[in-house]
Amino acid sequence: MQLVIVESPAKAKTIEKYLGKDFKVLASYGHVRDLPPKDGSVRPDEDFAMDWELYRDKQKRFKEISDAAKNASRLVLATDPDREGEAISWHVQELLKKRKALPTKVDRVTFNAITKSAVTEAMKSPRALDTDLIDAYLARRALDYLYGFTLSPVLWRRLPGAKSAGRVQSVALRLICEREHEIELFKPDEYWSVLAKLEHDGTAFDARLFKYNGKKLEKLTLGNEGAALEAKKAVEEGRFTVEEIETKPLKRNPAPPFTTSTMQQEAARKLGFSASHTMRCAQSLYEAGAITYMRTDGVQMDGSAIAAARDAIGERYSNEYLPEKPRFYSTKAKNAQEAHEAIRPTNFSRDAAGSGDEAKLYGLIFKRAIASQMATALLERTTVTMRDATGQHELRATGQVVKFPGYFAAYQEGFDDKDEDEEGLLPIIRKGDVPDKKAVEANQHFTQPPPRFSEASLVKRLEELGIGRPSTYASTIQTLRDRDYVRMEKNRFFAEQSGRLLTAFLERFFARFVAYEFTAGMEDELDQVSAGDEQWKKLLEAFWRDFKPKTEEIMEKKPSEVTEVLDEYLEDYLFPEREDGKDPRFCPLCDKEGRDGGRLALRGGRFGAFVACANYPECKFTRQFAQPGEDGDEGTQDTSMGKHPETGLDIERKSGRFGPYVQMGTGKEAKRASIPKDLDDFDLEWAVKLLDLPRVLGPHPESGNDIEAGLWRYGPAVRCDGKYGKLQNTAEIFEVGMNRAVDLIAEAANRKGGRGAAREPIKTFGKHPASEGEMKLLEGRYGAYVTDGTTNATIPKDMKPEDVTEEMAIELITERAAKGPAKKKRKKAALKKKPAAKKKAPAKKKAAAKSDD
């Protein structure tokens, strides 16, 4: 018997069909071991010795592999064809060797697609494990561990409120924060444009004022309304004749097939998918044999695939859509390694695969791959120039037509930022014609700051800089969101204050290690290790030699010293120039109460950084770590908002460490309510409404208990009998009616173990063959799990949610159901009092037994 090891059960099931009875295929379910998350797992003083630990939830599965290996004549390691796949194979081999279960013959095989031909061909060309790839994995894993486990304690002790930092995540966060700073510094300029609405032979078209008083108009030439209205009047009074018609041919060539990065970018633009969701869908398509391996930097398809694509083009379109010669591509991305093919369909006669979001992504991959081998698109751009009788004023109209669509017939690439001057169709027009003037517009504009990053543009920028690897971008972005360093609004990244403070700390004290050049250079060195041109331990030695002393240096500083440096470093952000000309650091409370010396500065507290007055504790003014007025926080000046209409008590607006809030009354009897961020015009009426929460809607028609609407721990919701139904916003608390509330609570009750709002499934599958319940992959309080509505089964800790397949979900749920319901821990019954015993001589105390924990 020959034993084959792959990562997932879906992959195992498919491959076993191809290989025949002599082969047994088992899944490792991803990585089988990792560095224990504790100090000392990587020991630089011992030549970077590393401790590895088998995952607890893999004990049973690996025993199955170990038992099978003992009876196998050959071990075939067939994990994914990249560095992570090589590492999994190495871990499996090392563990089997340690257990003395390693067969005498061990081979490594790789294939780029899970098809019968690809698998059988790979089995004919086995090789040994690639030690260079394994060394690159060890170096990267040790680097990330040393960076995180050495720097994070520094943050906890010297930057209160900080969580942790990662090698690549910190640099990605810096990009987002720098863009935020650029937007804050940006000062918009006003400018105007003049547009003539024209018509010729029944076709309407637009022409913009191109020259005015004999001079070409630049973007900011018409800088105010007065100048624009004068130019508008000149166009209205002029008679414009066509004097020049210029026609230019244009060519557009197709983009190459997808890499991991470009697939994530296009899926974000065209389908609205996050990077992590795109990779989950791609993983499923790969394991189903629909596409080639989805973690790749390569842009080229192999010869047989190119031939198949050209055949498909010939069948679907006419011969003119097929170029004479095949197209060949090379990558432009920094650090790209083209060891693998681009992402493409495994079968070009199959234009659909999967269902739901997987089908949408497959369609994108299919069209992009087909288009990459299609003919050039031919366009024609026409520019029409019209002048008035004086020759001093000139209008221009441009139009573009597609003469031959070429690859446009299959696919057009998306872009993050649209061109403001979109070109339309022009009528058939000749020199000497005088188009009818229907209207003239003078339009006001303002220059725009650089746009915030979307997932697509952030991935693109990281790739351009050579930071990280495309296969890890999804997890990098997710980590930033999980740690609340950034948030997403309208598919754009906004830096949270905690993220900005962390970035400032790292830029000031660890500038070299968050520099773009350093991080990209580290990727270059890791690539050299994987190519066998550099030793991995020398790379670690060079890093540790500089990094460790720097962390020790910062640990010696007092928190107050760190805060003082950050106060100076962030001065432009925290204390911008005031319109009234006063010192940006002046304390408004001291100014109001007539105290001298009231200047604001950054301070560190138990729950993070904040702005406070130098006269503390005499002056109690504080402000969140933010710009003045950001998120409605102007500082703790205890502004009186008025009196409650029923109680007559004063209502004050205050600011605390968790943000602005309102308070009614004083002392222990005071009632408080946080001010939600979704209330723009916050006034006394809103303050009264918030302080009067929860709002009782009435008794539930079944239980008879009150249904309440309010602001709870998880946001605005209605609740009854411990069930919460999520509301869309704060305003809905005061608008929701009884019928809607009952429906929301019923939905919450139908969610097994649900608390609050319904969670969107990470992934959906078909029905479970036994229970016939629809299977879903959900994110739970203790991690991801699969459920059929009756049985919940937690996925192994080392397994990524995106790696879970339908077959795996069935297996996990079936195993969990077979164990029966979880036994609840019984509460110890209260001991009955025994009758008092006769007193005995005191016995010697036994030594306490040591705990096994």
Side-chain angles (χ1 to χ4, degrees):
M1 183 265 290
Q2 300 182 58
L3 178 63
V4 180
I5 303 297
V6 295
E7 293 94 338
S8 76
K11 190 174 173 182
K13 189 176 180 181
T14 305
I15 290 172
E16 198 163 47
K17 291 178 186 175
Y18 300 151
L19 296 180
K21 295 179 181 178
D22 187 41
F23 291 87
K24 183 179 180 67
V25 186
L26 293 177
S28 69
Y29 288 82
H31 274 282
V32 293
R33 63 179 188 172
D34 196 8
L35 298 169
K38 62 183 181 182
D39 288 335
S41 293
V42 178
R43 299 184 295 282
D45 296 339
E46 298 177 27
D47 197 27
F48 295 96
M50 303 168 76
D51 291 335
W52 301 98
E53 183 177 76
L54 179 66
Y55 291 114
R56 288 186 179 181
D57 53 3
K58 292 294 180 69
Q59 302 275 0
K60 182 181 175 183
R61 297 194 187 281
F62 198 80
K63 186 178 184 302
E64 184 183 358
I65 292 173
S66 180
D67 291 344
K70 289 175 182 177
N71 300 317
S73 59
R74 178 191 179 205
L75 175 66
V76 181
L77 300 165
T79 49
D80 288 342
D82 59 6
R83 183 184 58 248
E84 290 300 310
E86 207 75 17
I88 292 170
S89 287
W90 175 75
H91 280 303
V92 169
Q93 177 180 278
E94 291 299 300
L95 273 171
L96 289 176
K97 191 185 297 181
K98 189 176 179 181
R99 296 188 178 196
K100 297 181 180 180
L102 189 68
T104 53
K105 187 172 178 57
V106 179
D107 288 321
R108 171 81 167 112
V109 299
T110 56
F111 35 82
N112 197 44
I114 305 177
T115 61
K116 187 171 184 179
S117 59
V119 172
T120 51
E121 281 301 311
M123 295 299 286
K124 295 176 185 177
S125 306
R127 61 170 173 83
L129 281 172
D130 189 328
T131 54
D132 293 330
L133 273 182
I134 295 165
D135 287 348
Y137 160 78
L138 293 173
R140 187 180 292 272
R141 191 68 194 89
L143 267 177
D144 291 340
Y145 172 90
L146 291 172
Y147 189 99
F149 271 81
T150 309
L151 182 57
S152 294
V154 178
L155 294 176
W156 301 333
R157 292 173 175 82
R158 297 295 174 263
L159 193 68
K163 294 178 181 178
S164 58
R167 185 175 60 88
V168 177
Q169 295 97 316
S170 298
V171 184
L173 178 60
R174 181 187 167 191
L175 277 171
I176 295 170
C177 291
E178 284 185 349
R179 179 57 57 87
E180 200 77 35
H181 191 52
E182 288 176 46
I183 293 169
E184 288 164 354
L185 293 177
F186 182 82
K187 294 182 179 179
D189 289 316
E190 179 185 7
Y191 69 97
W192 291 70
S193 63
V194 176
L195 194 72
K197 298 284 185 177
L198 307 177
E199 187 177 295
H200 187 71
D201 286 345
T203 301
F205 65 101
D206 295 339
R208 62 189 174 90
L209 182 60
F210 185 75
K211 280 186 179 179
Y212 176 56
N213 289 335
K215 295 180 180 179
K216 180 184 175 182
L217 289 178
E218 302 296 339
K219 187 173 186 176
L220 302 178
T221 301
L222 301 177
N224 56 65
E225 186 178 15
L229 291 178
E230 287 182 14
K232 177 187 175 185
K233 184 180 179 182
V235 174
E236 288 173 334
E237 294 175 351
R239 183 175 185 271
F240 287 83
T241 305
V242 175
E243 296 198 0
E244 296 174 16
I245 301 174
E246 182 182 24
T247 301
K248 285 184 179 180
L250 295 174
K251 293 183 178 182
R252 295 280 186 272
N253 291 316
F258 283 136
T259 62
T260 302
S261 168
T262 54
M263 178 180 69
Q264 291 174 0
Q265 293 172 46
E266 280 290 83
R269 296 183 191 115
K270 292 181 178 292
L271 304 177
F273 290 179
S274 67
S276 56
H277 185 61
T278 299
M279 295 308 291
R280 284 195 289 269
C281 293
Q283 179 84 29
S284 297
L285 290 170
Y286 167 66
E287 291 182 349
I291 63 171
T292 54
Y293 192 54
M294 67 287 164
R295 293 186 178 92
T296 175
D297 296 329
V299 292
Q300 186 57 284
M301 299 193 296
D302 72 23
S304 61
I306 291 174
R310 288 174 64 83
D311 288 345
I313 294 165
E315 291 174 5
R316 290 167 179 270
Y317 307 94
S318 60
N319 286 334
E320 59 184 339
Y321 285 86
L322 194 63
E324 288 184 14
K325 296 179 181 179
R327 294 185 183 274
F328 296 95
Y329 297 92
S330 59
T331 189
K332 296 178 182 179
K334 189 179 179 182
N335 278 356
Q337 295 180 357
E338 300 181 59
H340 309 309
E341 264 193 281
I343 303 167
R344 63 166 177 84
T346 55
N347 184 350
F348 278 97
S349 64
R350 184 183 182 186
D351 59 2
S355 60
D357 287 352
E358 291 170 15
K360 292 177 185 177
L361 182 62
Y362 180 83
L364 212 59
I365 293 168
F366 180 88
K367 291 172 185 175
R368 174 87 166 216
I370 281 282
S372 72
Q373 289 298 321
M374 290 179 71
T376 299
L378 304 178
L379 301 91
E380 187 176 82
R381 178 178 289 160
T382 301
T383 302
V384 178
T385 302
M386 294 160 278
R387 297 188 183 93
D388 70 345
T390 67
Q392 293 294 299
H393 310 313
E394 182 178 300
L395 296 176
R396 278 197 183 181
T398 57
Q400 186 170 284
V401 294
V402 177
K403 306 295 285 185
F404 171 65
Y407 76 92
F408 282 179
Y411 182 86
Q412 289 191 55
E413 190 175 13
F415 297 94
D416 293 306
D417 303 308
K418 305 293 183 185
D419 188 351
E420 289 182 7
D421 301 321
E422 292 188 2
E423 298 174 339
L425 293 174
L426 293 177
I428 296 172
I429 200 165
R430 298 173 183 82
K431 194 173 180 178
D433 286 344
V434 181
D436 293 334
K437 197 188 306 167
K438 297 296 182 182
V440 181
E441 298 176 354
N443 298 313
Q444 184 185 36
H445 311 275
F446 291 93
T447 54
Q448 296 298 309
R452 289 182 171 87
F453 285 110
S454 63
E455 281 213 11
S457 58
L458 181 60
V459 166
K460 184 178 181 181
R461 186 62 181 140
L462 287 168
E463 188 176 33
E464 288 171 350
L465 292 170
I467 294 168
R469 308 302 295 148
S471 59
T472 63
Y473 290 155
S475 59
T476 296
I477 291 169
Q478 191 60 46
T479 300
L480 294 178
R481 297 177 69 174
D482 290 345
R483 291 176 180 167
D484 295 324
Y485 290 146
V486 300
R487 70 180 187 278
M488 290 290 282
E489 288 184 14
K490 297 180 180 178
N491 294 322
R492 295 282 170 168
F493 285 106
F494 285 73
E496 295 285 14
Q497 302 307 334
S498 57
R500 298 193 70 150
L501 183 61
L502 173 62
T503 297
F505 176 85
L506 294 174
E507 283 188 300
R508 181 60 186 83
F509 295 105
F510 293 91
R512 181 190 171 199
F513 300 99
V514 290
Y516 302 133
E517 300 80 8
F518 174 82
T519 311
M522 189 65 72
E523 294 298 333
D524 286 334
E525 290 189 69
L526 288 166
D527 287 344
Q528 289 173 24
V529 172
S530 63
D533 297 331
E534 185 171 345
Q535 294 182 7
W536 68 282
K537 288 185 179 179
K538 285 189 176 179
L539 182 155
L540 292 176
E541 285 171 4
F543 168 78
W544 191 246
R545 187 168 52 245
D546 296 332
F547 187 68
K548 180 60 174 174
K550 190 64 178 176
T551 58
E552 291 172 345
E553 175 193 331
I554 305 306
M555 280 294 278
E556 291 176 1
K557 294 182 180 293
K558 296 177 181 178
S560 58
E561 293 177 313
V562 171
T563 306
E564 188 177 334
V565 172
L566 291 177
D567 175 77
E568 182 181 347
Y569 188 75
L570 291 164
E571 183 172 28
D572 291 342
Y573 168 65
L574 292 174
F575 310 106
E577 291 183 8
R578 295 175 61 93
E579 293 181 2
D580 58 12
K582 290 184 178 180
D583 181 357
R585 288 179 177 265
F586 102 105
C587 173
L589 192 55
C590 286
D591 182 65
K592 180 180 178 182
E593 297 178 358
R595 274 190 300 269
D596 294 329
R599 296 192 81 243
L600 303 180
L602 187 67
R603 294 284 183 268
R606 183 181 175 188
F607 299 97
F610 62 97
V611 174
C613 180
N615 284 334
Y616 180 85
E618 185 181 358
C619 176
K620 295 291 195 296
F621 180 92
T622 60
R623 193 180 80 212
Q624 288 180 289
F625 174 84
Q627 288 194 310
E630 197 166 324
D631 292 334
D633 179 21
E634 295 288 355
T636 52
Q637 298 183 56
D638 296 358
T639 309
S640 177
M641 300 190 72
K643 294 183 182 293
H644 192 286
E646 295 179 8
T647 65
L649 294 172
D650 286 329
I651 296 177
E652 292 182 305
R653 177 176 178 146
K654 295 173 173 284
S655 183
R657 63 175 182 257
F658 300 115
Y661 66 96
V662 286
Q663 176 176 310
M664 179 174 66
T666 57
K668 293 182 179 179
E669 303 301 320
K671 191 171 183 181
R672 300 176 181 86
S674 295
I675 301 175
K677 291 183 179 181
D678 62 350
L679 297 180
D680 296 327
D681 300 318
F682 190 77
D683 54 14
L684 178 61
E685 183 181 352
W686 272 115
V688 171
K689 284 183 175 182
L690 292 177
L691 290 165
D692 286 347
L693 290 177
R695 172 183 166 229
V696 178
L697 302 182
H700 192 282
E702 294 178 4
S703 69
N705 295 324
D706 282 343
I707 297 177
E708 298 175 314
L711 275 171
W712 318 106
R713 183 180 177 187
Y714 298 100
V718 288
R719 76 173 183 183
C720 184
D721 298 321
K723 297 293 185 291
Y724 291 75
K726 186 178 180 181
L727 299 174
Q728 294 299 314
N729 49 53
T730 304
E732 197 176 356
I733 294 172
F734 307 97
E735 299 166 358
V736 65
M738 176 63 83
N739 291 338
R740 168 78 172 144
V742 170
D743 288 343
L744 289 171
I745 290 165
E747 289 174 13
N750 290 331
R751 294 192 295 271
K752 297 289 183 181
R755 182 188 293 197
R759 288 185 292 259
E760 288 294 323
I762 299 172
K763 216 173 188 181
T764 56
F765 307 105
K767 292 183 178 180
H768 190 278
S771 68
E772 295 189 351
E774 184 186 9
M775 296 184 295
K776 296 177 182 179
L777 175 64
L778 298 167
E779 187 64 46
R781 186 177 179 186
Y782 302 105
Y785 67 96
V786 286
T787 181
D788 63 351
T790 304
T791 303
N792 296 345
T794 305
I795 69 169
K797 289 181 181 178
D798 65 310
M799 185 180 296
K800 296 177 181 176
E802 59 263 31
D803 294 339
V804 177
T805 62
E806 183 168 326
E807 290 80 3
M808 196 183 301
I810 293 170
E811 184 177 344
L812 289 169
I813 292 169
T814 303
E815 283 185 10
R816 184 69 193 85
K819 293 177 181 178
K823 293 180 180 179
K824 294 183 179 180
K825 292 182 180 179
R826 292 182 180 179
K827 293 182 179 180
K828 291 182 180 180
L831 294 173
K832 292 181 179 179
K833 289 186 178 180
K834 294 183 179 180
K838 293 180 180 180
K839 290 185 179 180
K840 294 182 180 179
K844 291 181 180 179
K845 290 184 179 179
K846 291 182 179 180
K850 289 184 179 178
S851 170
D852 292 331
D853 295 336

